[in-house]
Amino acid sequence: MSGSTELLESLEGNYTHAVIAFIDEEGYPLSVATGFSAAPQRGGVILDAVAGDQVRPPEGHEVNVVFSHIRPQPGIGYDERRYVSLWGRLHRTNGQLELVPERVQHWDEQEMSFFEFSERGVPQAHRYMDRLSEEAGRIIKPSLPAGWLFLRATRLPFLSATFVPVALGTAVAALQGEWHWWLALITLVAAASVHLGLNVANDVFDTTSGADAANLTPTQFSGGSRVILYGLLSLRQMVLMMIGFYAVAVGIGLYLAAARGFWPLFWIGAAGVFISVFYTAPPFRLVHRGLGEICVLLGFGPIMTIGAFYVQAQRWSWEAIYASLPVGILIALVLYVNEVPDRPGDAKAGKRTLPVRWTKDTVIFVYTLAVGVGFALILGGAIAGVIPRPTAIALAAIPLAIPVYSGLLDFYESPYELMPRMGKGVQLHLATGLLLVLGYVIAIVASHLMSSPPLFLR
């Protein structure tokens, strides 16, 4: 950033002292605090004598002068964080040290969040590590313990999106008298492998397309794992991990198809893998075409649910497909809301998601409409007996949609204030799915304990 007059004028009143950093005569780094006064009309700052003039920074050599401020908030953390960093050569004028900066950098969290500031510093961090690697004669890069790295690279906590439809499909089959716990477990492993392959593939192709680099506001729920961008794992390592997950999924899928009905399960699995791979991969790049929500709805709704049902019952079921629609809609809405903070980077990379294409009002209207449709399907299906009536307890999850809606209204342009509300969207999907499964469990128990269960239990 250029050393503007406005920036120099802002020093006084916002900072109490300056810290001069330099290399002393013996070659050691030294940092010393001192007073200062801004001289914007001369394009620099005047520094007081350092340590009573007992310490003399080298004149004519580059020094760094930093002005910083932070306010502690006991029990919370810090706020009002800001700093200005000037680089240049000191000159003594009328007994005082004067610095006219040659380079200037500054940050104020009122102007830019700390998270975005950190993201903007990634290229500089890479250059620094490259320089260190050259000096040390070995590769120096950031690292995480293996467990945490795997957790981050695969985004393992999001497997709730897989557990719900597999559990739901299995529950529908169990109500119809088909229950094989070991097949359910194998199905879950296969579905989870596809999901993890999808997560890793997204990082691979969002890196190669430039979408991750263009996204300067990633959150806990959006922006990918960024392990390639940060240098934690190489592109090759992530590609191998992706291939490994898909290999496990395909291997288990072929076994289940051979054991439980080849062609139906083959085509269900093929559809799931196709959507998973080409969600971000060329040439289709489905999410780039605004089809991401449809893909997620199908993949984590009907495809996984009917697949889990077929493994158990070896037949098709319209009930399983119907039961999957609400959870499919809600997991698609998780993606939909998570795309809101990514809009600037996605647009820059040519990733034309729905929030990129639509206005704020349209995005919020569609979110509200989709939530309404999802829960209307549950209520209508339970009343009509398409799904067991106890599944109506899933309506208890509706209040979780309210903070997501209000977050979109109030924090649409503020990714890190929206972030906690994005988490509520994940909870909305999980709670609704688990309550639907619980409704089926209640109906299963009632059918086993009573020869003719009352209407509200079946």
Side-chain angles (χ1 to χ4, degrees), residues 4 8 29 39 44 59 98 153 216-217 238 244 265 289 297 385 388 428 432 435 444 447 449:
S4 66
L8 292 171
E59 297 179 39
E98 182 176 359
L216 298 174
T217 55
M238 288 291 277
L265 287 176
R289 304 173 190 274
L297 189 158
L428 173 65
T432 304
L435 288 172
I444 292 167
S447 68
L449 296 180

Side-chain angles (χ1 to χ4, degrees), residues 113 116 215-220 222 340-344 411-422:
S113 73
E116 181 178 348
N215 185 355
L216 298 174
T217 55
T219 71
Q220 182 181 355
S222 63
V340 169
D342 294 344
R343 290 179 350 271
F411 306 122
Y412 197 81
E413 303 294 341
S414 182
Y416 301 105
E417 289 181 289
L418 178 62
M419 185 166 63
R421 314 303 179 93
M422 294 159 69

Side-chain angles (χ1 to χ4, degrees), residues 161-173 187 191 265 268 297-312 315-328 440:
T162 292
F163 176 81
V164 165
V166 171
L168 188 58
T170 304
V172 176
T187 304
L265 287 176
I268 291 171
L297 189 158
L298 292 174
F300 292 95
I303 289 176
M304 280 195 181
T305 305
I306 193 62
F309 177 89
Y310 202 100
V311 167
Q312 296 289 326
R315 62 178 183 271
W316 296 97
S317 167
W318 286 112
E319 179 184 348
I321 293 174
Y322 186 94
S324 74
L325 293 178
V327 296
Y440 269 94

Side-chain angles (χ1 to χ4, degrees), residues 48 71 109 116 149 197 237 275 359 379 409 457:
D48 295 345
R71 184 176 70 172
E109 71 175 335
E116 181 178 348
L149 183 57
Q237 287 172 317
I275 290 174
T359 65
L379 180 60
L409 278 177
L457 288 179

Side-chain angles (χ1 to χ4, degrees), residues 239-306:
V239 169
L240 290 174
M241 190 184 301
M242 173 187 74
I243 293 171
F245 282 128
Y246 282 129
V248 171
V250 170
I252 296 176
L254 289 174
Y255 165 76
L256 289 172
R260 305 297 292 174
F262 190 83
W263 287 114
L265 287 176
F266 175 85
W267 290 116
I268 291 171
V273 171
F274 177 87
I275 290 174
S276 172
V277 172
F278 292 108
Y279 180 77
T280 50
F284 299 107
R285 295 187 187 275
L286 298 169
V287 70
H288 287 240
R289 304 173 190 274
L291 299 174
E293 285 76 9
I294 297 297
C295 292
V296 168
L297 189 158
L298 292 174
F300 292 95
I303 289 176
M304 280 195 181
T305 305
I306 193 62

